[in-house]
Coordinates of all heavy atoms in Angstrom, one line a residue:
M469 N 13.5 26.3 -3.9 CA 12.1 25.9 -3.8 C 11.7 24.9 -4.8 O 12.0 25.1 -6.0 CB 11.2 27.2 -4.0 CG 11.4 28.2 -2.9 SD 10.3 27.8 -1.5 CE 10.7 29.2 -0.4
K470 N 11.0 23.9 -4.4 CA 10.5 22.9 -5.3 C 9.1 23.2 -5.8 O 8.2 23.5 -4.9 CB 10.6 21.5 -4.7 CG 12.0 21.0 -4.6 CD 11.9 19.6 -4.0 CE 13.4 19.1 -3.8 NZ 13.4 17.8 -3.1
V471 N 9.0 23.3 -7.0 CA 7.6 23.5 -7.5 C 7.0 22.3 -8.1 O 5.9 22.3 -8.6 CB 7.6 24.6 -8.6 CG1 7.9 26.0 -8.1 CG2 8.7 24.3 -9.7
K472 N 7.7 21.2 -7.9 CA 7.2 20.0 -8.5 C 6.1 19.4 -7.6 O 6.3 19.0 -6.5 CB 8.3 19.0 -8.6 CG 8.0 17.8 -9.5 CD 9.2 16.9 -9.7 CE 8.8 15.8 -10.6 NZ 9.9 14.8 -10.7
T473 N 4.9 19.4 -8.1 CA 3.8 18.8 -7.3 C 3.2 17.6 -8.0 O 2.1 17.2 -7.7 CB 2.7 19.9 -7.2 OG1 2.3 20.4 -8.4 CG2 3.1 21.0 -6.3
E474 N 3.9 17.0 -8.8 CA 3.5 15.8 -9.5 C 3.2 14.7 -8.5 O 3.9 14.5 -7.5 CB 4.6 15.3 -10.4 CG 4.7 16.1 -11.7 CD 3.8 15.7 -12.7 OE1 3.7 14.5 -13.0 OE2 3.1 16.6 -13.3
H475 N 2.0 14.1 -8.6 CA 1.7 13.0 -7.8 C 2.4 11.8 -8.2 O 2.5 11.5 -9.4 CB 0.2 12.8 -7.8 CG -0.6 13.9 -7.3 ND1 -0.5 14.4 -6.0 CD2 -1.5 14.7 -7.9 CE1 -1.3 15.5 -5.9 NE2 -1.9 15.7 -7.0
K476 N 2.9 11.1 -7.3 CA 3.6 9.9 -7.6 C 2.7 8.7 -7.6 O 2.2 8.3 -6.5 CB 4.8 9.6 -6.7 CG 5.9 10.5 -7.1 CD 7.2 10.2 -6.4 CE 8.3 11.1 -6.8 NZ 9.5 10.9 -5.9
L477 N 2.4 8.1 -8.7 CA 1.6 6.9 -8.7 C 2.4 5.7 -8.9 O 3.3 5.6 -9.7 CB 0.6 7.0 -9.9 CG -0.7 7.8 -9.8 CD1 -1.4 7.9 -11.1 CD2 -1.5 7.2 -8.7
K478 N 2.1 4.7 -8.0 CA 2.8 3.5 -8.1 C 2.2 2.7 -9.3 O 1.0 2.9 -9.6 CB 2.7 2.7 -6.8 CG 3.4 3.4 -5.7 CD 3.5 2.6 -4.5 CE 4.2 3.4 -3.4 NZ 4.3 2.6 -2.1
P479 N 3.0 1.8 -9.8 CA 2.4 0.9 -10.9 C 1.3 0.0 -10.4 O 1.1 -0.2 -9.2 CB 3.6 0.1 -11.3 CG 4.6 0.2 -10.2 CD 4.4 1.5 -9.5
C480 N 0.5 -0.4 -11.3 CA -0.6 -1.3 -11.0 C -0.2 -2.5 -10.2 O 0.7 -3.2 -10.5 CB -1.3 -1.7 -12.3 SG -2.6 -2.9 -12.1
P481 N -1.0 -2.7 -9.1 CA -0.7 -3.9 -8.2 C -1.0 -5.2 -8.8 O -0.6 -6.2 -8.4 CB -1.6 -3.6 -7.0 CG -2.7 -2.8 -7.5 CD -2.1 -1.9 -8.6
F482 N -1.8 -5.2 -9.9 CA -2.2 -6.4 -10.5 C -1.2 -6.8 -11.7 O -0.8 -7.9 -11.8 CB -3.6 -6.3 -11.1 CG -4.6 -5.9 -10.1 CD1 -5.2 -4.6 -10.1 CD2 -4.9 -6.7 -9.0 CE1 -6.1 -4.2 -9.1 CE2 -5.8 -6.3 -8.0 CZ -6.4 -5.1 -8.1
C483 N -0.9 -5.9 -12.5 CA -0.1 -6.2 -13.7 C 1.2 -5.4 -13.8 O 2.0 -5.7 -14.6 CB -1.0 -6.0 -14.9 SG -1.2 -4.3 -15.3
G484 N 1.4 -4.5 -12.9 CA 2.6 -3.7 -12.9 C 2.6 -2.6 -14.0 O 3.6 -2.0 -14.3
G485 N 1.4 -2.5 -14.6 CA 1.3 -1.5 -15.7 C 1.3 0.0 -15.1 O 1.2 0.2 -13.9
Q486 N 1.2 0.9 -16.1 CA 1.2 2.3 -15.7 C -0.1 2.7 -15.2 O -1.2 2.4 -15.8 CB 1.7 3.1 -16.9 CG 1.9 4.6 -16.5 CD 2.0 5.5 -17.7 OE1 2.0 5.0 -18.8 NE2 2.1 6.8 -17.5
A487 N -0.1 3.4 -14.1 CA -1.4 4.0 -13.6 C -1.5 5.4 -13.9 O -0.6 6.2 -13.9 CB -1.4 3.8 -12.1
I488 N -2.8 5.8 -14.2 CA -3.0 7.2 -14.5 C -4.2 7.8 -13.6 O -5.0 7.0 -13.1 CB -3.4 7.4 -15.9 CG1 -4.6 6.6 -16.3 CG2 -2.2 7.1 -16.9 CD1 -5.2 6.9 -17.6
T489 N -4.2 9.0 -13.4 CA -5.3 9.6 -12.7 C -6.4 10.0 -13.6 O -6.1 10.5 -14.7 CB -4.8 10.9 -11.9 OG1 -4.2 11.8 -12.8 CG2 -3.8 10.5 -10.8
Q490 N -7.6 9.8 -13.2 CA -8.8 10.2 -14.0 C -9.7 11.1 -13.2 O -9.9 10.9 -12.0 CB -9.5 8.9 -14.3 CG -8.8 7.9 -15.2 CD -9.1 8.0 -16.6 OE1 -10.2 7.6 -17.0 NE2 -8.2 8.6 -17.4
E491 N -10.1 12.1 -13.9 CA -11.0 13.1 -13.2 C -12.3 13.2 -14.0 O -12.3 13.3 -15.2 CB -10.3 14.4 -13.2 CG -10.8 15.3 -12.1 CD -10.0 16.6 -12.0 OE1 -8.9 16.6 -12.6 OE2 -10.5 17.5 -11.3
M492 N -13.4 13.0 -13.3 CA -14.7 13.1 -14.0 C -15.5 14.3 -13.4 O -15.6 14.5 -12.2 CB -15.5 11.9 -13.7 CG -14.7 10.6 -13.9 SD -15.3 9.7 -15.4 CE -16.8 9.1 -14.8
H493 N -15.9 15.1 -14.3 CA -16.7 16.3 -13.8 C -18.2 16.1 -14.2 O -18.5 15.9 -15.4 CB -16.2 17.6 -14.5 CG -14.9 18.0 -13.9 ND1 -14.7 18.7 -12.7 CD2 -13.6 17.8 -14.4 CE1 -13.5 18.9 -12.5 NE2 -12.8 18.4 -13.5
Y494 N -19.0 16.2 -13.2 CA -20.4 16.0 -13.5 C -21.1 17.3 -13.5 O -22.1 17.5 -14.2 CB -21.1 15.1 -12.4 CG -20.5 13.7 -12.4 CD1 -19.7 13.3 -11.4 CD2 -20.8 12.9 -13.5 CE1 -19.2 12.0 -11.4 CE2 -20.2 11.6 -13.5 CZ -19.5 11.2 -12.5 OH -18.9 9.9 -12.5
S495 N -20.6 18.2 -12.8 CA -21.1 19.6 -12.8 C -20.1 20.5 -12.3 O -18.9 20.1 -12.0 CB -22.4 19.6 -11.9 OG -22.0 19.5 -10.6
M496 N -20.4 21.8 -12.1 CA -19.5 22.7 -11.6 C -18.9 22.3 -10.3 O -17.8 22.6 -9.9 CB -20.1 24.1 -11.5 CG -20.4 24.7 -12.8 SD -19.0 25.4 -13.7 CE -18.7 26.9 -12.7
L497 N -19.8 21.7 -9.5 CA -19.4 21.4 -8.1 C -19.0 20.0 -7.8 O -18.5 19.7 -6.8 CB -20.6 21.8 -7.1 CG -21.0 23.3 -7.2 CD1 -22.2 23.5 -6.3 CD2 -19.8 24.1 -6.6
Q498 N -19.4 19.2 -8.8 CA -19.2 17.7 -8.5 C -18.1 17.2 -9.5 O -18.2 17.3 -10.7 CB -20.5 17.0 -8.8 CG -21.0 16.3 -7.6 CD -22.1 15.3 -7.9 OE1 -22.9 15.5 -8.8 NE2 -22.1 14.2 -7.2
S499 N -17.2 16.6 -8.8 CA -16.2 15.9 -9.6 C -15.7 14.6 -8.8 O -15.8 14.6 -7.6 CB -15.0 16.8 -10.0 OG -14.3 17.0 -8.8
E500 N -15.3 13.7 -9.6 CA -14.8 12.5 -8.9 C -13.4 12.1 -9.5 O -13.2 12.3 -10.6 CB -15.8 11.3 -9.1 CG -17.0 11.5 -8.4 CD -18.0 10.4 -8.6 OE1 -17.9 9.7 -9.6 OE2 -18.8 10.1 -7.7
N501 N -12.6 11.6 -8.6 CA -11.3 11.3 -9.0 C -11.0 9.9 -8.6 O -11.4 9.4 -7.6 CB -10.3 12.2 -8.2 CG -10.5 13.6 -8.4 OD1 -10.1 14.2 -9.4 ND2 -11.2 14.3 -7.5
F502 N -10.3 9.2 -9.5 CA -9.9 7.9 -9.3 C -8.6 7.6 -10.1 O -8.2 8.4 -10.9 CB -11.0 6.9 -9.5 CG -11.5 6.9 -11.0 CD1 -11.1 5.9 -11.8 CD2 -12.4 7.8 -11.4 CE1 -11.5 5.8 -13.1 CE2 -12.8 7.8 -12.7 CZ -12.4 6.8 -13.6
V503 N -8.1 6.4 -9.8 CA -6.8 6.0 -10.5 C -7.1 4.8 -11.3 O -7.9 3.9 -10.9 CB -5.7 5.7 -9.4 CG1 -4.5 5.3 -10.1 CG2 -5.5 7.0 -8.6
K504 N -6.5 4.7 -12.4 CA -6.8 3.6 -13.3 C -5.5 3.1 -14.0 O -4.6 3.9 -14.2 CB -7.8 4.1 -14.4 CG -8.2 3.0 -15.4 CD -9.2 3.6 -16.4 CE -9.7 2.5 -17.3 NZ -10.7 3.0 -18.2
C505 N -5.5 1.8 -14.2 CA -4.4 1.2 -14.9 C -4.6 1.2 -16.4 O -5.7 0.8 -16.8 CB -4.1 -0.2 -14.4 SG -3.0 -1.1 -15.3
V506 N -3.7 1.7 -17.1 CA -3.9 1.8 -18.6 C -3.7 0.5 -19.2 O -4.1 0.3 -20.4 CB -2.9 2.8 -19.2 CG1 -3.2 4.3 -18.7 CG2 -1.5 2.5 -18.9
N507 N -3.1 -0.4 -18.5 CA -2.8 -1.7 -19.1 C -4.0 -2.7 -19.0 O -4.5 -3.2 -20.0 CB -1.5 -2.3 -18.5 CG -1.1 -3.5 -19.2 OD1 -1.1 -3.6 -20.4 ND2 -0.7 -4.6 -18.5
C508 N -4.4 -3.0 -17.7 CA -5.4 -4.0 -17.5 C -6.8 -3.3 -17.2 O -7.8 -4.0 -17.1 CB -5.0 -4.9 -16.4 SG -5.0 -4.2 -14.8
G509 N -6.8 -2.0 -17.0 CA -8.1 -1.4 -16.7 C -8.5 -1.4 -15.3 O -9.6 -0.9 -14.9
A510 N -7.7 -1.9 -14.4 CA -8.1 -1.9 -13.0 C -8.2 -0.5 -12.5 O -7.4 0.4 -12.9 CB -7.0 -2.7 -12.2
E511 N -9.1 -0.2 -11.6 CA -9.3 1.1 -11.1 C -9.7 1.1 -9.6 O -10.2 0.1 -9.2 CB -10.3 1.9 -11.9 CG -11.6 1.3 -12.0 CD -12.5 2.1 -13.0 OE1 -12.1 2.2 -14.2 OE2 -13.6 2.5 -12.6
S512 N -9.4 2.2 -9.0 CA -9.8 2.2 -7.6 C -11.3 2.1 -7.5 O -12.0 2.7 -8.3 CB -9.3 3.6 -6.9 OG -9.7 4.7 -7.7
S513 N -11.7 1.3 -6.6 CA -13.2 1.0 -6.6 C -14.0 2.1 -6.1 O -15.2 2.1 -6.3 CB -13.4 -0.3 -5.8 OG -12.9 -0.2 -4.5
R514 N -13.4 3.0 -5.4 CA -14.2 4.2 -5.0 C -13.7 5.5 -5.6 O -12.5 5.6 -5.9 CB -14.2 4.3 -3.5 CG -14.9 3.2 -2.8 CD -14.9 3.4 -1.3 NE -15.2 2.2 -0.7 CZ -16.4 1.6 -0.7 NH1 -17.4 2.2 -1.3 NH2 -16.6 0.5 -0.1
Y515 N -14.6 6.4 -5.8 CA -14.2 7.7 -6.3 C -14.1 8.7 -5.2 O -14.8 8.6 -4.2 CB -15.2 8.2 -7.3 CG -15.3 7.3 -8.6 CD1 -16.3 7.6 -9.5 CD2 -14.4 6.3 -8.8 CE1 -16.4 6.8 -10.7 CE2 -14.5 5.5 -9.9 CZ -15.5 5.8 -10.9 OH -15.6 5.0 -12.0
Y516 N -13.1 9.6 -5.4 CA -12.8 10.5 -4.3 C -13.1 11.9 -4.7 O -13.0 12.3 -5.9 CB -11.4 10.3 -3.9 CG -11.1 9.0 -3.3 CD1 -10.7 7.9 -4.1 CD2 -11.2 8.8 -1.9 CE1 -10.5 6.7 -3.5 CE2 -11.0 7.5 -1.4 CZ -10.6 6.5 -2.2 OH -10.4 5.3 -1.6
D517 N -13.4 12.7 -3.7 CA -13.6 14.1 -4.0 C -12.4 14.8 -4.5 O -12.4 15.8 -5.3 CB -14.1 14.8 -2.8 CG -15.5 14.4 -2.4 OD1 -16.2 13.9 -3.4 OD2 -15.9 14.5 -1.3
D518 N -11.2 14.4 -4.0 CA -10.0 15.0 -4.4 C -9.0 14.0 -4.8 O -9.0 12.8 -4.3 CB -9.4 15.9 -3.2 CG -9.1 15.0 -2.0 OD1 -10.0 14.4 -1.4 OD2 -7.9 14.8 -1.7
M519 N -8.2 14.4 -5.7 CA -7.2 13.5 -6.3 C -6.2 12.9 -5.3 O -5.7 11.8 -5.4 CB -6.5 14.2 -7.5 CG -5.7 13.3 -8.3 SD -6.7 11.9 -9.0 CE -7.4 12.7 -10.4
H520 N -5.9 13.7 -4.3 CA -5.0 13.3 -3.4 C -5.4 12.0 -2.7 O -4.6 11.1 -2.5 CB -4.8 14.4 -2.3 CG -3.3 14.7 -2.0 ND1 -2.5 15.4 -2.9 CD2 -2.6 14.4 -1.0 CE1 -1.3 15.5 -2.4 NE2 -1.3 14.9 -1.2
S521 N -6.6 12.0 -2.3 CA -7.1 10.8 -1.6 C -7.1 9.6 -2.5 O -6.8 8.5 -2.1 CB -8.6 11.0 -1.1 OG -8.6 12.2 -0.2
A522 N -7.5 9.8 -3.7 CA -7.5 8.7 -4.7 C -6.1 8.1 -4.9 O -5.9 6.9 -4.9 CB -8.1 9.2 -6.0
I523 N -5.2 9.0 -5.0 CA -3.8 8.6 -5.2 C -3.3 7.8 -3.9 O -2.6 6.8 -4.0 CB -2.9 9.8 -5.5 CG1 -3.2 10.3 -6.9 CG2 -1.4 9.4 -5.5 CD1 -2.6 11.6 -7.3
K524 N -3.6 8.4 -2.8 CA -3.1 7.8 -1.5 C -3.7 6.4 -1.4 O -3.1 5.4 -1.0 CB -3.6 8.6 -0.3 CG -2.4 9.4 0.2 CD -2.9 10.5 1.2 CE -3.3 9.8 2.5 NZ -3.7 10.8 3.5
A525 N -5.0 6.2 -1.8 CA -5.7 4.9 -1.7 C -5.0 4.0 -2.7 O -4.8 2.8 -2.4 CB -7.1 5.1 -2.0
W526 N -4.8 4.5 -3.9 CA -4.1 3.6 -4.9 C -2.8 3.1 -4.4 O -2.5 1.9 -4.5 CB -4.0 4.4 -6.2 CG -3.3 3.6 -7.3 CD1 -2.0 3.6 -7.5 CD2 -3.9 2.7 -8.2 NE1 -1.7 2.8 -8.6 CE2 -2.8 2.2 -9.0 CE3 -5.2 2.2 -8.4 CZ2 -3.0 1.2 -10.0 CZ3 -5.3 1.3 -9.4 CH2 -4.3 0.8 -10.2
N527 N -2.0 4.0 -4.0 CA -0.6 3.6 -3.6 C -0.7 2.7 -2.4 O 0.1 1.8 -2.2 CB 0.2 4.9 -3.2 CG 0.6 5.6 -4.5 OD1 0.5 5.1 -5.6 ND2 1.0 6.9 -4.3
R528 N -1.6 2.9 -1.5 CA -1.8 2.1 -0.3 C -2.2 0.7 -0.8 O -1.7 -0.3 -0.2 CB -2.9 2.7 0.5 CG -2.8 2.3 2.0 CD -4.0 3.0 2.7 NE -5.0 2.0 3.1 CZ -5.0 1.4 4.3 NH1 -4.0 1.6 5.1 NH2 -5.9 0.5 4.5
R529 N -3.0 0.6 -1.7 CA -3.4 -0.7 -2.2 C -2.2 -1.4 -2.8 O -2.1 -2.6 -2.7 CB -4.5 -0.5 -3.3 CG -4.9 -1.7 -4.0 CD -6.2 -1.5 -4.7 NE -6.0 -1.5 -6.1 CZ -7.0 -1.4 -7.0 NH1 -8.2 -1.2 -6.6 NH2 -6.7 -1.3 -8.3
V530 N -1.4 -0.7 -3.5 CA -0.2 -1.4 -4.0 C 0.7 -1.9 -2.9 O 1.2 -3.1 -3.0 CB 0.6 -0.3 -4.8 CG1 2.0 -1.0 -5.3 CG2 -0.1 0.1 -6.0
N531 N 0.8 -1.2 -1.8 CA 1.6 -1.7 -0.7 C 0.9 -2.9 0.0 O 1.6 -3.9 0.3 CB 1.7 -0.6 0.3 CG 2.7 0.5 -0.2 OD1 3.5 0.2 -1.0 ND2 2.5 1.7 0.3
D532 N -0.4 -2.8 0.2 CA -1.1 -3.8 0.9 C -1.3 -5.1 0.1 O -1.5 -6.1 0.6 CB -2.4 -3.3 1.4 CG -2.3 -2.3 2.5 OD1 -1.1 -2.0 2.9 OD2 -3.3 -1.7 2.9
N533 N -1.3 -4.9 -1.2 CA -1.8 -6.0 -2.0 C -0.8 -6.2 -3.2 O -1.2 -6.1 -4.3 CB -3.2 -5.6 -2.5 CG -4.0 -6.8 -2.9 OD1 -3.4 -7.9 -2.8 ND2 -5.2 -6.6 -3.2
S534 N 0.4 -6.5 -2.9 CA 1.4 -6.6 -3.9 C 1.6 -8.0 -4.5 O 2.5 -8.2 -5.3 CB 2.7 -6.1 -3.4 OG 3.1 -6.8 -2.3
R535 N 0.7 -8.9 -4.1 CA 0.9 -10.2 -4.6 C 0.5 -10.3 -6.1 O -0.3 -9.5 -6.6 CB 0.1 -11.2 -3.8 CG -1.4 -11.0 -3.8 CD -2.0 -11.9 -2.8 NE -1.7 -11.3 -1.5 CZ -2.2 -11.8 -0.3 NH1 -2.9 -12.9 -0.4 NH2 -1.9 -11.3 0.8
K536 N 1.0 -11.3 -6.8 CA 0.9 -11.3 -8.2 C -0.6 -11.7 -8.6 O -1.2 -12.6 -8.0 CB 1.8 -12.3 -8.8 CG 3.0 -11.7 -9.5 CD 3.6 -12.7 -10.4 CE 4.8 -13.3 -9.6 NZ 5.5 -14.3 -10.4
C537 N -1.0 -11.1 -9.6 CA -2.3 -11.6 -10.2 C -2.3 -11.1 -11.7 O -2.0 -10.0 -12.0 CB -3.4 -10.9 -9.5 SG -5.0 -11.2 -10.4
C538 N -2.5 -12.1 -12.6 CA -2.5 -11.6 -14.0 C -3.9 -11.1 -14.3 O -4.9 -11.7 -14.1 CB -2.2 -12.8 -14.9 SG -3.1 -14.3 -14.6
I539 N -3.9 -9.9 -14.8 CA -5.1 -9.2 -15.2 C -6.2 -9.2 -14.2 O -7.3 -9.8 -14.5 CB -5.5 -9.7 -16.6 CG1 -4.3 -10.0 -17.4 CG2 -6.5 -8.7 -17.2 CD1 -4.2 -9.2 -18.7
C540 N -6.0 -8.6 -13.1 CA -7.1 -8.4 -12.2 C -8.0 -9.6 -11.8 O -9.2 -9.6 -12.1 CB -8.0 -7.2 -12.7 SG -7.1 -5.8 -13.0
G541 N -7.4 -10.6 -11.2 CA -8.2 -11.7 -10.8 C -9.3 -11.4 -9.8 O -9.2 -10.4 -9.1
K542 N -10.3 -12.2 -9.8 CA -11.4 -11.8 -9.0 C -11.1 -11.9 -7.5 O -11.6 -11.1 -6.7 CB -12.6 -12.8 -9.3 CG -13.3 -12.4 -10.6 CD -14.1 -13.6 -11.1 CE -14.5 -13.3 -12.5 NZ -14.9 -14.5 -13.3
H543 N -10.3 -12.8 -7.1 CA -10.0 -12.9 -5.7 C -9.3 -11.7 -5.2 O -9.4 -11.4 -4.0 CB -9.2 -14.2 -5.4 CG -7.9 -14.3 -6.1 ND1 -6.8 -13.9 -5.5 CD2 -7.6 -14.6 -7.4 CE1 -5.8 -14.1 -6.4 NE2 -6.3 -14.5 -7.5
I544 N -8.6 -11.0 -6.0 CA -8.0 -9.8 -5.6 C -9.0 -8.7 -5.4 O -8.9 -7.9 -4.5 CB -6.9 -9.3 -6.6 CG1 -5.8 -10.4 -6.7 CG2 -6.4 -8.0 -6.3 CD1 -4.6 -10.1 -5.9
N545 N -10.0 -8.7 -6.2 CA -11.0 -7.7 -6.1 C -11.7 -7.6 -4.7 O -11.9 -6.6 -4.2 CB -12.1 -7.9 -7.2 CG -11.6 -7.4 -8.5 OD1 -10.7 -6.6 -8.6 ND2 -12.2 -7.8 -9.6
S546 N -12.0 -8.8 -4.2 CA -12.6 -8.8 -2.9 C -11.7 -8.3 -1.8 O -12.1 -7.6 -0.9 CB -13.0 -10.3 -2.5 OG -11.9 -11.1 -2.5
Q547 N -10.4 -8.6 -2.0 CA -9.5 -8.0 -1.0 C -9.4 -6.5 -1.1 O -9.3 -5.8 -0.2 CB -8.1 -8.6 -1.2 CG -8.0 -10.1 -0.8 CD -6.7 -10.7 -1.1 OE1 -5.8 -10.0 -1.7 NE2 -6.5 -11.9 -0.7
T548 N -9.4 -6.1 -2.4 CA -9.4 -4.6 -2.6 C -10.5 -3.9 -2.0 O -10.4 -2.9 -1.4 CB -9.4 -4.4 -4.1 OG1 -8.3 -5.1 -4.7 CG2 -9.2 -2.9 -4.4
D549 N -11.7 -4.5 -2.1 CA -12.9 -3.9 -1.5 C -12.7 -3.7 0.0 O -13.0 -2.7 0.6 CB -14.1 -4.7 -1.8 CG -14.5 -4.5 -3.3 OD1 -14.1 -3.5 -3.9 OD2 -15.2 -5.4 -3.7
K550 N -12.1 -4.7 0.6 CA -11.9 -4.7 2.0 C -11.0 -3.5 2.4 O -11.2 -2.8 3.4 CB -11.3 -6.0 2.5 CG -11.2 -6.1 4.0 CD -11.0 -7.6 4.3 CE -10.6 -7.7 5.8 NZ -9.1 -7.8 6.0
I551 N -9.9 -3.4 1.6 CA -9.0 -2.4 1.9 C -9.6 -1.0 1.8 O -9.4 -0.1 2.6 CB -7.8 -2.5 0.9 CG1 -7.0 -3.7 1.2 CG2 -6.9 -1.2 1.0 CD1 -6.0 -4.1 0.2
F552 N -10.4 -0.8 0.8 CA -11.1 0.5 0.6 C -12.1 0.7 1.7 O -12.4 1.8 2.1 CB -11.7 0.6 -0.8 CG -10.7 1.0 -1.8 CD1 -9.8 0.1 -2.4 CD2 -10.5 2.4 -2.1 CE1 -8.9 0.5 -3.3 CE2 -9.6 2.7 -3.0 CZ -8.8 1.8 -3.6
E553 N -12.7 -0.4 2.2 CA -13.7 -0.2 3.2 C -13.0 0.3 4.5 O -13.6 1.2 5.2 CB -14.4 -1.6 3.6 CG -15.4 -2.0 2.6 CD -16.6 -1.0 2.5 OE1 -16.9 -0.3 3.5 OE2 -17.2 -0.9 1.4
E554 N -11.9 -0.2 4.8 CA -11.2 0.2 6.0 C -10.8 1.7 6.0 O -10.6 2.3 7.0 CB -9.9 -0.6 6.1 CG -10.1 -2.0 6.5 CD -8.9 -2.9 6.3 OE1 -7.8 -2.4 6.0 OE2 -9.0 -4.1 6.6
R555 N -10.8 2.3 4.8 CA -10.4 3.7 4.7 C -11.5 4.6 5.1 O -11.3 5.8 5.3 CB -9.9 4.0 3.3 CG -8.5 3.5 3.1 CD -8.0 4.1 1.8 NE -8.2 5.6 1.7 CZ -7.4 6.5 2.3 NH1 -6.3 6.1 2.9 NH2 -7.6 7.7 2.2
R556 N -12.7 4.1 5.1 CA -13.9 5.0 5.3 C -13.9 5.5 6.7 O -13.7 4.7 7.6 CB -15.1 4.3 4.9 CG -15.2 4.0 3.4 CD -16.5 3.6 3.0 NE -17.4 4.8 3.1 CZ -18.2 5.2 2.1 NH1 -18.3 4.6 1.0 NH2 -19.0 6.3 2.3
Ligands
ZN1161 ZN1 -3.0 -3.3 -14.3

């Protein structure tokens, strides 16, 4: 039996840096999850109720948007927004 439930985060699509999960708690019932790059500070533009969705979105973004950009260029941001829009 595998007990490993670690989420696999792909490296940052912008700089290739390490991505981490972030969880924000606003109240007992409210929390938001997103993924952030520790290197350039890029983060998923939307927050998710559960970490699973946030990670899926992040990894998806890496797949869809793997072209090079040094430190989160603006033109990538607009594409990122589009990708996240499609997920709604
Ligand atoms: Zn980065």
Side-chain angles (χ1 to χ4, degrees):
M469 291 275 181
K470 285 182 181 174
V471 288
K472 196 175 180 187
T473 52
E474 287 274 312
H475 298 298
K476 283 191 179 170
L477 274 175
K478 295 189 177 177
C480 174
F482 304 113
C483 70
Q486 188 193 354
I488 56 167
T489 54
Q490 297 260 286
E491 203 173 348
M492 311 251 290
H493 288 281
Y494 296 110
S495 68
M496 291 285 284
L497 298 174
Q498 240 193 329
S499 69
E500 288 181 336
N501 302 277
F502 60 100
V503 179
K504 183 177 183 177
C505 170
V506 295
N507 189 42
C508 71
E511 54 187 58
S512 52
S513 55
R514 291 185 198 288
Y515 294 175
Y516 295 88
D517 291 335
D518 62 294
M519 189 57 79
H520 226 76
S521 301
I523 291 169
K524 260 169 71 176
W526 175 268
N527 286 343
R528 204 177 108 92
R529 176 163 105 176
V530 173
N531 287 335
D532 289 356
N533 205 355
S534 57
R535 64 193 71 176
K536 251 196 267 177
C537 171
C538 51
I539 322 237
C540 301
K542 282 163 192 159
H543 58 98
I544 296 266
N545 280 341
S546 60
Q547 288 177 358
T548 304
D549 287 339
K550 185 164 169 262
I551 290 167
F552 276 84
E553 283 299 331
E554 286 167 2
R555 281 191 52 83
R556 295 193 66 131

